[in-house]
Amino acid sequence: MLFLLFGSSASGKTSVLNAVRGRYSDLAVHDFDEIGVPSGADTPWRHRANEAWVQRALRYQHQGTDLLLGAQTPFGELLATPSATLLDGLTACLLDCDDDTRSARLARRGLEWFDRGGGDVQAYLNWATWMRHHANEPTWHRHNQTPSHRGRDAMGSLD
């Protein structure tokens, strides 16, 4: 079984992983980024990395161990990973926080963190918003909305 704990940066994934790590002998706990994230990592890289993690989950599964993986990977992308159908099970939980909390946590990381990862606070807030929608509907894409939905988004009143 692969348990995906997903969310945008500063949602608390690392804190949860650290709290769970070592508590269960049949649960391996990993952070997606421990495989190394190259600068300029793009969607095709993330897809390859997803497959690598599913392969690792399959090795654990063979040993009778489940995998808890903390990641920014959208659940729908992990479901679409070619080897995902070989898993005994795959489930996900979005870990989230409000934008003020996320902004404060990101600010505490300092400018060096932003220099390494790129982006700015607003980019991470946008990714968190996308993740919230994706958690409710894994096939949700902003570009698939009707013009009336886009208008409501701009007004700040999402359904």
Side-chain angles (χ1 to χ4, degrees):
M1 174 72 117
L2 193 159
F3 300 97
L4 176 66
L5 179 67
F6 74 108
S8 184
S9 292
S11 61
K13 297 181 302 294
T14 301
S15 295
V16 170
L17 295 178
N18 289 338
V20 173
R21 189 174 278 116
R23 287 187 173 203
Y24 306 96
S25 60
D26 58 349
L27 181 67
V29 178
H30 289 282
D31 185 308
F32 187 95
D33 293 349
E34 70 190 50
I35 62 173
V37 180
S39 69
D42 55 8
T43 302
W45 173 85
R46 195 171 64 233
H47 291 172
R48 290 189 305 274
N50 287 342
E51 178 63 25
W53 278 112
V54 169
Q55 289 295 322
R56 186 180 290 191
L58 288 167
R59 289 191 298 275
Y60 279 125
Q61 178 177 288
H62 183 71
Q63 299 167 5
T65 300
D66 295 325
L67 171 61
L68 170 61
L69 180 63
Q72 291 195 44
T73 295
F75 186 44
E77 283 187 14
L78 201 59
L79 288 171
T81 300
S83 298
T85 58
L86 302 174
L87 291 166
D88 288 343
L90 176 59
T91 192
C93 175
L94 171 67
L95 187 61
D96 198 10
C97 60
D98 62 73
D99 287 350
D100 290 340
T101 300
R102 186 179 317 279
S103 295
R105 289 174 179 174
L106 289 169
R108 285 194 298 271
R109 292 182 177 189
L111 294 176
E112 301 81 29
W113 185 84
F114 286 98
D115 290 342
R116 282 193 310 272
D120 57 19
V121 172
Q122 189 59 54
Y124 291 100
L125 295 177
N126 293 347
W127 185 234
T129 298
W130 188 91
M131 288 273 197
R132 288 178 199 120
H133 287 284
H134 183 75
N136 287 324
E137 175 53 59
T139 62
W140 186 85
H141 294 282
R142 188 170 188 81
H143 65 273
N144 287 343
Q145 292 180 299
T146 63
S148 63
H149 284 107
R150 285 194 298 270
R152 283 199 303 268
D153 282 356
M155 305 277 294
S157 57
L158 293 172
D159 293 329

